[in-house]
Amino acid sequence: MYIPRRSTTIKNISVSAINGSITLIILLIAPLGLAAVIINTILVTISTYLVCSGADRVMIWLQPEQNAELSGSDAPQRKSNLQRWWR
């Protein structure tokens, strides 16, 4: 399975932005201070991005070696999928 790094990053940012927007809308309805709303929205956005990135890494790790490849100049080299992803 070919997994371009740019595509997964764009997907993760999109999911994070959507979750952050939903959180912002919900928190603006609640009677909270503006600082609490902003901090909570930022934390939800960051945590969503980290969880999506971690899930992508787990999926790459679970793929068989010959099927999971990341794009890049070092693609032909025989490194484990996790080493290529973490660089």
Side-chain angles (χ1 to χ4, degrees):
M1 174 183 238
Y2 178 73
I3 304 171
R5 192 175 295 170
R6 181 177 287 168
S7 296
T8 57
T9 302
I10 291 172
K11 177 194 62 118
N12 293 342
I13 290 173
S14 300
V15 171
S16 300
I18 290 170
N19 277 350
S21 300
I22 292 169
T23 303
L24 180 64
I25 292 168
I26 291 170
L27 290 175
L28 286 176
I29 295 170
L32 296 173
L34 183 60
V37 170
I38 291 171
I39 291 171
N40 195 7
T41 301
I42 291 170
L43 290 176
V44 166
T45 303
I46 292 171
S47 66
T48 301
Y49 180 80
L50 294 175
V51 168
C52 286
S53 296
D56 289 338
R57 290 184 181 122
V58 169
M59 291 302 295
I60 290 172
W61 182 67
L62 291 174
Q63 293 291 325
E65 178 70 30
Q66 68 274 10
N67 290 336
E69 292 183 11
L70 293 174
S71 63
S73 61
D74 63 339
Q77 296 176 1
R78 297 294 294 175
K79 292 183 178 179
S80 74
N81 294 329
L82 200 56
Q83 286 175 339
R84 278 188 262 153
W85 182 263
W86 281 98
R87 233 181 351 124

